[in-house]
Amino acid sequence: MNFYKMQGAGNDFVFIEDFNNEIEDECRLAEKLCDRHFGIGADGLVIVRKSEVAQAKMVIINADGSRANMCGNAIRCFGKYVYEHNIANSTKFSVETGDGVKEIEIILEDANVKYVKVYMGNPSYDGHDIPLNNLDSLIDTDIIVDNKTYRVTTVLMGVPHTVIFGNDRDYDAIGEGSKIEKFHLFKEGSNINFVKVIDKTHIRVDTWERGAGATLACGTGCSASVVVAKRLGLVDKDKEIYVKAPGGELIIDVQGNDVYMKGPAEVTFEGTTNL
């Protein structure tokens, strides 16, 4: 099996093609390939397939074998892959995901891919969409987890994200994020984003991801964090916001209810495996 290893702001993925739908147990395969000791090592497996509604279909499976509808960093890498492998014949094209069809724009510099821009869709605070247990919404509200109080806002940005602002303290993304993920109000768990506001156009985000753990960056998480920060009036509502994650920087633009993400994507290596 041929594979590509790619990363976006440090969030890394194994890419394989499956145009004829030959993979039988893709969740088990993800666990094997993503294992950092006995496999290739990655936060997730991305499968490239044919689509009847877009130029290509992205299937993403987390390192623990669980499925994800959408991943911001993965789809940027996917956009670069599709463009550079001539699956799409334009710098603007669409990709089918578990969260619907996403529009991609390849931004070139000297004929090379500098950034990939993705239309991330519309956020939803609706408790049915997220989904929440018996709750219409969870916006700027205190919850208690493991005897600690957190002021949270939860939004669906392709996948559920809970955003916590805290310039006055440091959070443990692993120790605290893993516990908040399982909070009883989250019907299917939640990704957790710990956010510090640097100024009106810059924030820092550390994310605990369902199925992957603490990652170096999370595109949907950075997008969700900006959406919530704008809603709460913590950043400029009319400007692009620069988001610093441990693995790099993303640029998030919110136009009305539409969210756009821009950032890098790189191939780290390629090879073959018989796992």
Side-chain angles (χ1 to χ4, degrees):
M1 179 186 296
N2 297 320
F3 72 88
Y4 277 73
K5 179 74 180 292
M6 301 187 70
Q7 63 90 10
N11 202 187
D12 60 343
F13 308 94
V14 174
F15 272 68
I16 59 174
E17 295 181 355
D18 185 32
F19 293 132
N20 296 318
N21 297 306
E22 296 175 335
I23 298 174
E24 295 182 357
D25 190 349
E26 55 198 24
C27 293
R28 177 57 184 151
L29 179 63
E31 289 184 89
K32 293 170 67 176
L33 294 180
C34 294
D35 190 295
R36 296 191 185 275
H37 299 287
F38 299 102
I40 299 166
D43 293 321
L45 170 66
V46 175
I47 303 174
V48 186
R49 289 194 170 127
K50 295 178 181 178
S51 172
E52 296 182 356
V53 296
Q55 271 64 55
K57 180 178 181 179
M58 179 181 81
V59 175
I60 180 164
I61 305 171
N62 294 316
D64 68 351
S66 62
R67 296 181 181 274
N69 287 331
M70 176 60 181
C71 174
N73 289 315
I75 198 170
R76 285 203 324 281
C77 292
F78 193 91
K80 178 181 173 74
Y81 186 98
V82 166
Y83 177 76
E84 293 186 339
H85 286 77
N86 298 313
I87 298 171
N89 56 11
S90 170
T91 56
K92 293 184 178 181
F93 53 89
S94 58
V95 170
E96 180 185 354
T97 76
D99 187 46
V101 175
K102 304 298 181 183
E103 300 301 321
I104 306 291
E105 179 180 357
I106 303 297
I107 300 172
L108 301 174
E109 183 177 80
D110 298 328
N112 296 315
V113 177
K114 180 178 181 181
Y115 290 124
V116 180
K117 183 177 180 179
V118 182
Y119 172 58
M120 300 292 286
N122 305 139
S124 174
Y125 296 91
D126 189 291
H128 180 266
D129 294 338
I130 290 170
L132 299 173
N133 278 314
N134 303 314
L135 200 65
D136 292 335
S137 63
L138 188 60
I139 301 172
D140 201 24
T141 301
D142 286 342
I143 64 171
I144 299 175
V145 179
D146 197 31
N147 297 317
K148 295 180 181 178
T149 300
Y150 302 91
R151 195 158 191 84
V152 307
T153 297
T154 300
V155 60
L156 184 74
M157 193 71 248
V159 290
H161 278 279
T162 296
V163 181
I164 302 170
F165 294 93
N167 279 33
D168 57 344
R169 59 162 290 193
D170 291 323
Y171 290 100
D172 176 5
I174 298 175
E176 295 178 90
S178 60
K179 295 176 181 177
I180 302 171
E181 175 200 346
K182 305 294 186 181
F183 187 58
H184 67 89
L185 288 179
F186 305 139
K187 196 170 185 178
E188 298 175 0
S190 177
N191 299 281
I192 310 300
N193 305 278
F194 299 104
V195 184
K196 291 184 182 294
V197 177
I198 300 170
D199 58 34
K200 286 296 185 179
T201 56
H202 295 79
I203 65 174
R204 177 179 174 90
V205 178
D206 292 278
T207 301
W208 171 267
E209 292 193 54
R210 296 182 310 175
T215 56
L216 294 179
C218 175
T220 54
C222 290
S223 300
S225 298
V226 169
V227 165
V228 175
K230 285 180 178 283
R231 180 185 177 113
L232 299 181
L234 301 176
V235 296
D236 194 303
K237 67 177 182 179
D238 298 319
K239 293 183 179 179
E240 290 183 331
I241 305 301
Y242 294 81
V243 184
K244 179 67 175 177
E249 185 175 75
L250 303 179
I251 304 169
I252 310 298
D253 187 21
V254 181
Q255 301 177 15
N257 203 39
D258 295 325
V259 182
Y260 297 85
M261 174 193 60
K262 182 170 64 178
E266 296 181 355
V267 176
T268 52
F269 61 90
E270 59 183 288
T272 59
T273 177
N274 58 2
L275 288 173

